Amino acid sequence: MFRWQARTIQKSPTLVLLALGAVTLALLAGFLVRDQPEGPIDSTGIFLPADSDLAEATDVIRESFPAAADLRVVQILAKGDVLSADSLRTVKDLQTAIVSDPEIAPFLVDEPLYGYVQLIELAAADVGISLDTITDAQVSLGLAQLAQDPDRAELNDLLGRFVARDDAGIPIAGLSLIILDDVGDALGQETAQLRAHEIADSFDASPLDVTIITLAKSDAEGKDAREENLVVLTVIALVIIVVLLALFYRTQSDVHITMLGLGMTILWTLGAISWLSPGGAGIVDPDNILLTLVPVLLISLSVDYALQIIGRYREGLRDDPEPDDDASGRAIARSVRLCGVPVLLAAGTTAVSLLANLSSRFEPIADFGIIASIGVISGWIVMTSFVPAARLVLDRRLAAKGKKPTTRPVADTIPGAAAVLPRVATAVVRRPIPVLSAVIVVTVLAVVAAGNLSTTFAVKDFLPKDSDTFKSFDFLEENFDGSATLMTVLIETDLASNRAVQDLTDLHSTLVDSQRRPNGIVGPPLASAGTLLADWTDRSGQAGDRYDSDVAAAFENLAAGNGAPGEEVRGAWEQLRRADPEGFAEVIDLRANGLDRTIIQIPVAVEDNEALQVLIDELESLWGGASGVITVTGGDALIALITEELAASQALSVGLVIAAALAILVAYFSISRSRPALGLITIIPIAVTLAWLLGAMWVFGISYNMGTALMVVLTIGIGVDYTIHLTHRFLEEHEEAEQVVDGIRNAMTTTGGALLASALTTALGLLALLFSPLVPMQELGILAAVAILFGLIATFTVLPSLLVLWARYHRWRGHNASLASSN
């Protein structure tokens, strides 16, 4: 294959360039068929695994309780003296302005207002005072009395959760909520959320500092920042690469050719995205937030292939014993032929490592794997075809003018590399056992440290850290129990039984009791079968005017009896349905076939993912019925699921990547050299690098999240490039060198220098991510540099040590194969 490619480029470089241009135009035609995805932006919902229990529960809720399927919360964060009478009225007026807006009103739930203003209004109404006329003195006195009244402890506790105070106990902020339903129009609900921001911006809330927080706004801010930053990051990465290439190549023409190759690679990838987007194959989402990484990744990785091609080309020109008019053609053909296998193995294993993301249950990660792998293969094709063809065309023109191309080795452009690398090789080869022993100790320590890594996922990860919404989320985490939201608990069970009625009643009693309900629930259920039942059976309840004696009698008979027949239980539920058909339909679905369904809506605010998972576990354990019939859903439940699934999903991907890379390398070395052990030797430094990287994450305090999870997998793909190139070059040099140390020294001097240049371009290119406004992207840039540094260290220490032991082993065994005969 590579001989054919080499001959084709040598004979017809212009034809090769025309063919590549035709492919570019064909791929760019994808922009003509591409459609824009319909639907609202959803930075967290897109990560919901389609086959998860949460996804199935969400579909069930959407089918049986459409009004509760997609609730969104408009949070009104007021800062200042929020408990003064005027401040209370100001926030109440703002709430009124929002809920009365014609664009928002259709999406309101039955009781949309919740928060500290409503709690104080409720307490004031109990003593006959209106919020419209209340004074500061009455507010202060009422709050003092509320704090001392044991019968109103729950109300006081709720107020404490929605009002933040400083260390001196002075109120500094208050949180109020407006709850929206999508009523089957998700885009309209998104518009309603954004409309709330417009109303607040034009509302005079002085002297308070009022901020509106919605998912729609945070998603919009995140998308705008990603689109703007994609261009900035790409330009920064390109500038970095141009500077480095100018330093390494020392010729403008090589820089221009490589940059044109990078441009073609990116265009191929963007064209592939278009063909795979809606309007084309419909496989990937072009708005996938992770695809922002692809251009920067390709810029950094593809340059490696060009550096190897150009480096070998210059070697060929320098080593040609009889230079003539076709010296450039022979050198190019030799470069393509010799680089073909290692570059293909490097690109192939990198692509496989990216495709391993298809095992992820998160669709954005799987899509990223598809597109990034296409980009890597595109880079391999372009850099091993366009770069040598363009170089040959240009050099033949220079030769016609009597000019000679440069033959300066790439390794020589890095100060000190040509002197240091051979010494490193000599030192490592002479003491392989001590080197490997030290590596084992460091690796064990890194693995122990990696065991303490935490896994996180947060909405604010997708926001610019200098945005108002990001700062608001931080404020909520510091002063409240995190962002407020609603969680919907789905219970699927046979409601035609005494046990089910008792279980629902017990669960409701726990959730309305501020002393017994799990920490993180900031109020009694807003809607549930228990709440509905209490409204119609409790004569002393707050909704006592809804009391129905027939409903009360029906359920009292069930509570007094033991094992009432299903018909009687079902009849009691039907009695409740007749009393309140609309309220019943909102929380209970009695089904002719399959399990009945009921939901509980609870207000929640938790400070971190760990507390969120604890809350979900406690809610599930509170259900006294059969296991497996209760599922907690809602925005925060999705975050908990993503956090839980992320580590397991990416652990599988890492395992698949290592296994696939090992299989590829073992197969190659078995077929080409009859030495399958070389495949294992080539992959061991990557496993070491991965362990070091995970340990470094713990040292730096970087959690395992969406961005860093991708970097862990990419570490394998990037590191394999280095080990493959050095192993392959060692085998070439070992055939000619008399001693193993000479083969490794020569490999380190030539390919090692090019790898050093490649590592610098990759690391500094990916460090452009530090200019991203998103924290996970910045962390990924840092980890990329660390991973590449570790990869080089492992390649220059672990790999030579293993190779020399491998060579000694074959010499000890008395094999006379060509690879070991000189030992």
Side-chain angles (χ1 to χ4, degrees), residues 494-505:
D494 181 10
L495 292 177
S497 68
N498 266 8
R499 174 64 187 274
V501 176
Q502 188 61 49
D503 289 338
L504 286 174
T505 302

Side-chain angles (χ1 to χ4, degrees), residues 3 28 48 116 161 213 267 328 335 366 376 394 437 447 472 488 498 570 572 577 588 642 648 650 721 723 728 734 761:
R3 292 183 182 277
L28 290 180
L48 177 62
Y116 80 100
R161 289 179 178 271
I213 307 169
L267 289 177
S328 294
S335 173
V376 168
L394 186 58
S437 299
V447 170
S472 295
T488 301
N498 266 8
R570 183 75 65 169
R577 190 208 298 268
I588 300 173
I642 292 173
Q650 292 308 101
D721 287 6
T723 57
H728 198 271
H734 190 42
T761 56

